[in-house]
Amino acid sequence: MADKIVFENRYYKIEKVYKRAGSGITALVSTGKGEKYILKTICSDMCEYSNFGDKLERIKSGYNLLSNIIEIPKIIKFSYEEKAILREYIEGTVLSEINIYEFGECGINEKIMEINESLEKKGYAIEFDPDKYIFSGDKLFYIGYRFEKIN
């Protein structure tokens, strides 16, 4: 694995790869100044069975909608040319790494309910996937950018 990646003519050090799919990755990257980000590159070799449409456009649409309703990481840079997104890194713990019995003690259950209620008021819903939430301090961030329109 390369230890550096270039995005918009800037080198980033790859600290950790979270997910690899075809030629795309989701990775924690850093600058020489110690700034940390999440860089997501979209797989450019779409498979025949894949019928996802324009994934970058879906992420941007999800960000634009959800950022006005719930806590999500800020998108720093968005590039159609490089098929990549640089977003804010949220220091915290992924919910899948927290014992479910501790959710009540940490106030996570209430935060999940608040997120769902906020979205429902606007006519939207998101799936509950513990890998798509980060608990940081007293905030719960959704990092998926996916949503569904509900009636």
Side-chain angles (χ1 to χ4, degrees):
M1 174 183 79
D3 61 346
K4 291 184 181 170
I5 191 167
V6 179
F7 176 64
E8 292 200 335
N9 299 316
R10 185 171 181 185
Y11 282 93
Y12 294 90
K13 180 181 178 192
I14 297 174
E15 302 287 341
K16 180 178 181 180
V17 174
Y18 292 110
K19 185 176 180 182
R20 189 176 295 277
S23 61
I25 65 164
T26 301
L28 171 61
V29 298
S30 63
T31 65
K33 298 177 184 175
E35 300 160 327
K36 292 182 178 182
Y37 302 98
I38 297 295
L39 180 63
K40 180 177 187 74
T41 63
I42 306 301
C43 180
S44 60
D45 49 332
M46 295 300 285
C47 306
E48 280 183 34
Y49 59 84
S50 177
N51 189 19
F52 296 117
D54 186 346
K55 189 168 184 177
L56 280 174
E57 192 55 44
R58 278 197 336 272
I59 291 170
K60 190 172 186 180
S61 172
Y63 174 77
N64 289 336
L65 178 106
L66 296 173
S67 64
N68 293 311
I69 305 172
I70 61 175
E71 297 277 0
I72 61 173
K74 292 175 182 65
I75 290 180
I76 310 297
K77 293 182 181 180
F78 189 92
S79 173
Y80 283 105
E81 296 79 29
E82 297 185 45
K83 295 182 180 179
I85 299 163
L86 188 71
R87 73 163 172 83
E88 173 184 24
Y89 170 67
I90 305 294
E91 186 80 41
T93 306
V94 177
L95 283 194
S96 61
E97 296 175 0
I98 300 174
N99 184 321
I100 195 163
Y101 297 109
E102 295 175 15
F103 278 24
E105 295 171 18
C106 300
I108 294 171
N109 289 335
E110 290 82 10
K111 293 183 185 319
I112 292 169
M113 288 174 25
E114 288 171 12
I115 287 171
N116 289 335
E117 288 171 5
S118 297
L119 289 165
E120 283 179 21
K121 285 179 186 175
K122 302 282 186 173
Y124 298 99
I126 54 178
E127 68 176 329
F128 179 73
D129 177 350
D131 289 329
K132 300 287 186 201
Y133 290 85
I134 295 178
F135 188 60
S136 179
D138 64 344
K139 293 185 178 180
L140 186 61
F141 292 85
Y142 175 65
I143 61 171
Y145 304 116
R146 283 182 159 173
F147 67 92
E148 297 291 327
K149 182 84 172 137
I150 57 174
N151 294 333

